[in-house]
Amino acid sequence: MASWNSVPLEVLDNVLGWIAFVSWSISFYPQVILNFRRKSVVGLNFDFVVLNLTKHSSYLIYNASMFFSSAVQRQYHHRYGKNEMIPVAANDVAFSTHAVLLTAFTLFQISIYDRGNQKVSKTAIAIVSVAWLSVAVCVFVGIPKHSWLWLVSCFNGLQVAMTVTKYIPQAVMNFRRKSTIGFSIGNILLDLFGGLTNYGQMAVQSIDQHSWVNFYGNIGKTLLSLVSIFFDILFIVQHYVLYPSRKEVFYPNFDVEEPRDIEGR
Protein backbone atom coordinates (compact mmCIF):
# COMPACT_ATOMS: atom_id res chain seq x y z
CA MET A 1 0.00 0.00 0.00
CA ALA A 2 1.16 3.51 -0.77
CA SER A 3 1.92 5.91 2.06
CA TRP A 4 2.92 9.52 2.36
CA ASN A 5 6.60 10.37 1.99
CA SER A 6 6.26 13.84 3.51
CA VAL A 7 4.27 14.67 6.63
CA PRO A 8 3.96 18.40 5.73
CA LEU A 9 2.58 17.49 2.31
CA GLU A 10 0.14 15.08 3.93
CA VAL A 11 -1.09 17.84 6.24
CA LEU A 12 -1.36 20.28 3.32
CA ASP A 13 -3.32 17.69 1.34
CA ASN A 14 -5.82 17.29 4.17
CA VAL A 15 -6.16 21.06 4.63
CA LEU A 16 -6.77 21.68 0.93
CA GLY A 17 -9.25 18.81 0.72
CA TRP A 18 -11.37 20.05 3.61
CA ILE A 19 -11.23 23.65 2.35
CA ALA A 20 -12.67 22.41 -0.95
CA PHE A 21 -15.32 20.46 0.97
CA VAL A 22 -16.36 23.52 2.99
CA SER A 23 -16.39 25.84 -0.04
CA TRP A 24 -18.50 23.50 -2.14
CA SER A 25 -20.81 22.57 0.72
CA ILE A 26 -21.63 26.11 1.82
CA SER A 27 -22.92 26.93 -1.66
CA PHE A 28 -25.96 24.66 -1.13
CA TYR A 29 -27.44 26.61 1.77
CA PRO A 30 -28.54 29.98 0.34
CA GLN A 31 -31.17 28.34 -1.88
CA VAL A 32 -32.51 26.18 0.96
CA ILE A 33 -32.73 29.21 3.27
CA LEU A 34 -34.37 31.33 0.58
CA ASN A 35 -37.00 28.66 -0.10
CA PHE A 36 -37.77 28.44 3.62
CA ARG A 37 -38.10 32.20 4.06
CA ARG A 38 -40.37 32.62 1.05
CA LYS A 39 -42.29 29.35 1.51
CA SER A 40 -42.01 29.18 -2.27
CA VAL A 41 -39.77 27.61 -4.91
CA VAL A 42 -41.11 29.67 -7.79
CA GLY A 43 -38.14 30.66 -9.94
CA LEU A 44 -35.94 27.72 -8.91
CA ASN A 45 -35.11 25.53 -11.92
CA PHE A 46 -36.54 22.10 -11.07
CA ASP A 47 -34.57 20.48 -13.90
CA PHE A 48 -31.35 21.69 -12.29
CA VAL A 49 -32.28 20.11 -8.95
CA VAL A 50 -33.22 16.77 -10.53
CA LEU A 51 -30.05 16.63 -12.64
CA ASN A 52 -28.00 17.68 -9.64
CA LEU A 53 -29.42 14.86 -7.50
CA THR A 54 -28.48 12.33 -10.17
CA LYS A 55 -25.02 13.83 -10.42
CA HIS A 56 -24.31 13.78 -6.68
CA SER A 57 -25.89 10.35 -6.13
CA SER A 58 -23.67 8.76 -8.76
CA TYR A 59 -20.64 10.60 -7.39
CA LEU A 60 -21.41 9.35 -3.88
CA ILE A 61 -21.61 5.76 -5.13
CA TYR A 62 -18.22 6.14 -6.81
CA ASN A 63 -16.50 7.87 -3.88
CA ALA A 64 -17.89 5.51 -1.23
CA SER A 65 -17.01 2.43 -3.29
CA MET A 66 -13.49 3.64 -4.01
CA PHE A 67 -12.87 4.71 -0.41
CA PHE A 68 -14.40 1.76 1.49
CA SER A 69 -14.31 -1.24 -0.87
CA SER A 70 -11.17 -3.35 -0.63
CA ALA A 71 -12.14 -5.15 -3.86
CA VAL A 72 -12.25 -1.89 -5.81
CA GLN A 73 -8.99 -0.78 -4.25
CA ARG A 74 -7.27 -4.05 -5.17
CA GLN A 75 -8.32 -3.69 -8.80
CA TYR A 76 -7.19 -0.07 -8.78
CA HIS A 77 -3.74 -1.01 -7.49
CA HIS A 78 -3.56 -3.87 -9.96
CA ARG A 79 -4.24 -1.48 -12.81
CA TYR A 80 -2.20 1.54 -11.74
CA GLY A 81 0.39 0.03 -9.40
CA LYS A 82 0.59 -0.98 -5.76
CA ASN A 83 2.49 2.18 -4.84
CA GLU A 84 -0.28 4.48 -6.07
CA MET A 85 -2.57 6.06 -3.50
CA ILE A 86 -6.33 5.73 -3.80
CA PRO A 87 -7.48 8.98 -5.47
CA VAL A 88 -10.48 9.46 -3.16
CA ALA A 89 -10.15 11.06 0.26
CA ALA A 90 -12.47 11.25 3.26
CA ASN A 91 -13.49 14.79 2.31
CA ASP A 92 -14.70 13.50 -1.09
CA VAL A 93 -17.05 11.04 0.61
CA ALA A 94 -18.18 13.70 3.09
CA PHE A 95 -18.90 16.20 0.32
CA SER A 96 -20.88 13.69 -1.74
CA THR A 97 -22.97 12.62 1.24
CA HIS A 98 -23.68 16.20 2.21
CA ALA A 99 -24.54 17.14 -1.40
CA VAL A 100 -27.03 14.29 -1.79
CA LEU A 101 -28.78 15.18 1.47
CA LEU A 102 -29.04 18.90 0.69
CA THR A 103 -30.19 18.32 -2.88
CA ALA A 104 -32.78 15.79 -1.71
CA PHE A 105 -33.97 18.28 0.90
CA THR A 106 -34.35 20.91 -1.83
CA LEU A 107 -36.55 18.45 -3.75
CA PHE A 108 -38.58 18.01 -0.56
CA GLN A 109 -39.03 21.78 -0.40
CA ILE A 110 -40.23 21.72 -4.01
CA SER A 111 -42.90 19.20 -3.00
CA ILE A 112 -44.27 21.24 -0.07
CA TYR A 113 -43.83 24.88 -1.09
CA ASP A 114 -45.62 26.98 -3.68
CA ARG A 115 -44.47 25.89 -7.14
CA GLY A 116 -46.63 28.11 -9.30
CA ASN A 117 -46.95 26.57 -12.77
CA GLN A 118 -43.44 25.13 -12.77
CA LYS A 119 -42.66 21.47 -13.22
CA VAL A 120 -39.80 19.20 -14.22
CA SER A 121 -39.43 19.18 -18.00
CA LYS A 122 -39.83 16.05 -20.10
CA THR A 123 -36.28 16.61 -21.35
CA ALA A 124 -34.85 16.41 -17.84
CA ILE A 125 -36.92 13.30 -17.08
CA ALA A 126 -35.64 11.69 -20.29
CA ILE A 127 -32.01 12.56 -19.50
CA VAL A 128 -32.23 11.15 -15.98
CA SER A 129 -34.01 8.02 -17.18
CA VAL A 130 -31.40 7.32 -19.86
CA ALA A 131 -28.60 8.02 -17.38
CA TRP A 132 -29.80 5.53 -14.77
CA LEU A 133 -30.71 2.97 -17.43
CA SER A 134 -27.15 3.20 -18.72
CA VAL A 135 -25.58 2.54 -15.33
CA ALA A 136 -28.10 -0.26 -14.74
CA VAL A 137 -26.71 -1.94 -17.86
CA CYS A 138 -23.22 -1.45 -16.45
CA VAL A 139 -24.30 -3.16 -13.23
CA PHE A 140 -25.64 -6.21 -15.09
CA VAL A 141 -22.45 -6.41 -17.15
CA GLY A 142 -19.95 -5.70 -14.38
CA ILE A 143 -21.22 -7.84 -11.51
CA PRO A 144 -20.93 -11.26 -13.22
CA LYS A 145 -17.39 -10.38 -14.32
CA HIS A 146 -16.45 -8.91 -10.93
CA SER A 147 -15.27 -5.79 -12.77
CA TRP A 148 -15.70 -3.59 -9.72
CA LEU A 149 -13.34 -0.81 -10.75
CA TRP A 150 -14.93 -0.56 -14.19
CA LEU A 151 -18.39 -0.58 -12.63
CA VAL A 152 -17.75 2.28 -10.21
CA SER A 153 -16.05 4.15 -13.05
CA CYS A 154 -19.38 4.04 -14.89
CA PHE A 155 -20.95 5.95 -12.02
CA ASN A 156 -18.00 8.33 -12.12
CA GLY A 157 -18.59 8.95 -15.80
CA LEU A 158 -22.28 9.58 -15.15
CA GLN A 159 -21.57 12.30 -12.61
CA VAL A 160 -19.22 14.04 -15.04
CA ALA A 161 -21.92 13.99 -17.75
CA MET A 162 -24.47 15.41 -15.30
CA THR A 163 -22.01 18.11 -14.22
CA VAL A 164 -21.68 19.31 -17.81
CA THR A 165 -25.43 19.11 -18.41
CA LYS A 166 -26.58 20.99 -15.31
CA TYR A 167 -24.52 24.13 -15.99
CA ILE A 168 -25.59 24.69 -19.59
CA PRO A 169 -29.15 26.03 -18.95
CA GLN A 170 -27.87 28.81 -16.67
CA ALA A 171 -25.19 29.91 -19.12
CA VAL A 172 -27.70 29.96 -21.98
CA MET A 173 -30.22 31.88 -19.89
CA ASN A 174 -27.64 34.55 -19.02
CA PHE A 175 -26.78 34.89 -22.70
CA ARG A 176 -30.40 35.24 -23.79
CA ARG A 177 -31.26 37.73 -21.06
CA LYS A 178 -27.95 39.60 -21.47
CA SER A 179 -27.97 39.77 -17.68
CA THR A 180 -26.94 37.79 -14.61
CA ILE A 181 -29.48 39.42 -12.28
CA GLY A 182 -30.89 36.82 -9.90
CA PHE A 183 -27.91 34.51 -10.23
CA SER A 184 -25.58 34.51 -7.22
CA ILE A 185 -22.01 35.33 -8.17
CA GLY A 186 -21.03 34.55 -4.58
CA ASN A 187 -22.00 30.92 -5.15
CA ILE A 188 -19.84 30.86 -8.27
CA LEU A 189 -16.84 32.32 -6.47
CA LEU A 190 -17.16 29.67 -3.76
CA ASP A 191 -17.47 26.97 -6.41
CA LEU A 192 -14.38 28.25 -8.22
CA PHE A 193 -12.38 28.37 -5.00
CA GLY A 194 -13.44 24.81 -4.18
CA GLY A 195 -12.42 23.60 -7.63
CA LEU A 196 -9.00 25.23 -7.43
CA THR A 197 -8.28 23.85 -3.95
CA ASN A 198 -9.43 20.43 -5.14
CA TYR A 199 -6.85 20.53 -7.92
CA GLY A 200 -4.31 21.73 -5.38
CA GLN A 201 -5.01 18.68 -3.22
CA MET A 202 -4.50 16.34 -6.17
CA ALA A 203 -1.29 18.12 -7.15
CA VAL A 204 0.12 17.85 -3.62
CA GLN A 205 -0.52 14.10 -3.63
CA SER A 206 1.15 13.75 -7.02
CA ILE A 207 4.20 15.70 -5.90
CA ASP A 208 4.58 13.54 -2.80
CA GLN A 209 4.24 10.30 -4.78
CA HIS A 210 6.32 11.53 -7.75
CA SER A 211 3.47 10.38 -10.00
CA TRP A 212 0.50 11.98 -11.76
CA VAL A 213 -1.54 8.79 -11.92
CA ASN A 214 -4.18 10.15 -9.54
CA PHE A 215 -5.16 12.73 -12.16
CA TYR A 216 -6.01 10.16 -14.81
CA GLY A 217 -6.68 7.32 -12.35
CA ASN A 218 -9.60 9.39 -11.02
CA ILE A 219 -10.60 11.03 -14.28
CA GLY A 220 -14.05 11.84 -12.92
CA LYS A 221 -12.70 14.03 -10.13
CA THR A 222 -10.27 15.66 -12.54
CA LEU A 223 -12.98 16.41 -15.11
CA LEU A 224 -15.40 17.50 -12.39
CA SER A 225 -13.07 20.25 -11.26
CA LEU A 226 -12.11 21.17 -14.83
CA VAL A 227 -15.72 21.49 -15.99
CA SER A 228 -16.74 23.39 -12.85
CA ILE A 229 -13.84 25.82 -13.22
CA PHE A 230 -14.63 26.37 -16.91
CA PHE A 231 -18.27 27.27 -16.25
CA ASP A 232 -17.37 29.31 -13.16
CA ILE A 233 -15.01 31.43 -15.26
CA LEU A 234 -17.69 31.74 -17.94
CA PHE A 235 -20.23 32.94 -15.36
CA ILE A 236 -17.70 35.41 -13.91
CA VAL A 237 -17.01 36.80 -17.39
CA GLN A 238 -20.74 37.10 -18.04
CA HIS A 239 -21.31 38.84 -14.71
CA TYR A 240 -18.38 41.28 -14.66
CA VAL A 241 -17.44 41.72 -18.33
CA LEU A 242 -20.23 40.91 -20.79
CA TYR A 243 -23.28 42.05 -18.84
CA PRO A 244 -22.02 44.41 -16.12
CA SER A 245 -24.45 47.31 -16.64
CA ARG A 246 -27.22 45.80 -14.52
CA LYS A 247 -25.16 43.93 -11.99
CA GLU A 248 -25.65 46.53 -9.27
CA VAL A 249 -29.45 46.31 -9.38
CA PHE A 250 -30.76 45.11 -6.04
CA TYR A 251 -34.20 43.72 -5.28
CA PRO A 252 -35.00 43.78 -1.57
CA ASN A 253 -38.19 41.82 -2.27
CA PHE A 254 -37.27 38.15 -2.50
CA ASP A 255 -40.25 37.54 -4.77
CA VAL A 256 -38.53 39.44 -7.60
CA GLU A 257 -35.76 37.62 -9.46
CA GLU A 258 -34.05 36.44 -6.28
CA PRO A 259 -35.16 32.76 -6.49
CA ARG A 260 -32.64 32.16 -9.24
CA ASP A 261 -29.70 32.93 -6.97
CA ILE A 262 -28.24 29.49 -6.56
CA GLU A 263 -28.78 27.82 -9.87
CA GLY A 264 -25.06 27.18 -10.39
CA ARG A 265 -24.42 24.34 -7.83
Side-chain angles (χ1 to χ4, degrees), residues 21-258:
F21 162 73
V22 171
S23 298
W24 277 337
S25 297
I26 289 176
S27 66
F28 285 92
Y29 286 94
Q31 186 67 59
V32 171
I33 294 172
L34 183 62
N35 294 342
F36 174 76
R37 287 177 175 174
R38 297 175 63 245
K39 299 297 186 292
S40 171
V41 291
V42 174
L44 173 62
N45 190 310
F46 298 172
D47 291 357
F48 165 75
V49 180
V50 171
L51 293 172
N52 213 23
L53 182 61
T54 297
K55 171 257 190 304
H56 287 303
S57 297
S58 57
Y59 195 39
L60 173 59
I61 292 172
Y62 169 78
N63 283 333
S65 299
M66 183 67 76
F67 190 75
F68 293 109
S69 173
S70 58
V72 174
Q73 292 176 5
R74 281 196 301 269
Q75 292 186 6
Y76 180 87
H77 286 134
H78 177 75
R79 180 172 181 177
Y80 295 106
K82 293 183 179 181
N83 293 326
E84 297 298 334
M85 300 182 70
I86 297 299
V88 172
N91 62 276
D92 296 314
V93 180
F95 166 74
S96 297
T97 303
H98 177 270
V100 169
L101 292 175
L102 264 292
T103 306
F105 184 74
T106 303
L107 276 177
F108 172 71
Q109 289 183 314
I110 289 175
S111 70
I112 63 174
Y113 292 151
D114 177 32
R115 300 185 294 275
N117 296 322
Q118 294 181 206
K119 59 182 180 180
V120 178
S121 71
K122 294 180 180 179
T123 300
I125 294 175
I127 291 174
V128 171
S129 299
V130 170
W132 286 112
L133 179 61
S134 298
V135 293
V137 172
C138 291
V139 169
F140 283 109
V141 172
I143 289 181
K145 298 181 179 180
H146 301 286
S147 302
W148 309 121
L149 180 61
W150 175 82
L151 180 56
V152 298
S153 296
C154 291
F155 286 95
N156 203 15
L158 172 59
Q159 68 89 13
V160 172
M162 291 297 102
T163 299
V164 175
T165 304
K166 73 170 188 174
Y167 282 116
I168 293 176
Q170 183 66 54
V172 172
M173 186 185 75
N174 292 345
F175 171 75
R176 289 177 175 173
R177 296 171 65 233
K178 298 297 185 289
S179 172
T180 58
I181 292 176
F183 183 66
S184 174
I185 196 63
N187 171 59
I188 294 304
L189 295 175
L190 280 170
D191 192 47
L192 177 61
F193 185 62
L196 292 175
T197 52
N198 179 64
Y199 264 134
Q201 180 191 29
M202 297 174 71
V204 166
Q205 186 178 112
S206 295
I207 292 171
D208 180 82
Q209 298 296 304
H210 306 290
S211 169
W212 297 94
V213 168
N214 68 316
F215 274 90
Y216 56 84
N218 187 359
I219 193 65
K221 184 177 181 180
T222 302
L223 292 178
L224 170 64
S225 295
L226 185 61
V227 169
S228 297
I229 289 172
F230 170 79
F231 277 100
D232 288 340
I233 292 175
L234 175 61
F235 290 137
I236 289 171
V237 171
Q238 286 183 321
H239 185 80
Y240 291 109
V241 180
L242 298 179
Y243 319 124
S245 60
R246 300 177 62 194
K247 73 179 190 308
E248 298 299 331
V249 177
F250 174 71
Y251 294 97
N253 184 352
F254 283 125
D255 290 328
V256 181
E257 292 287 347
E258 186 68 12

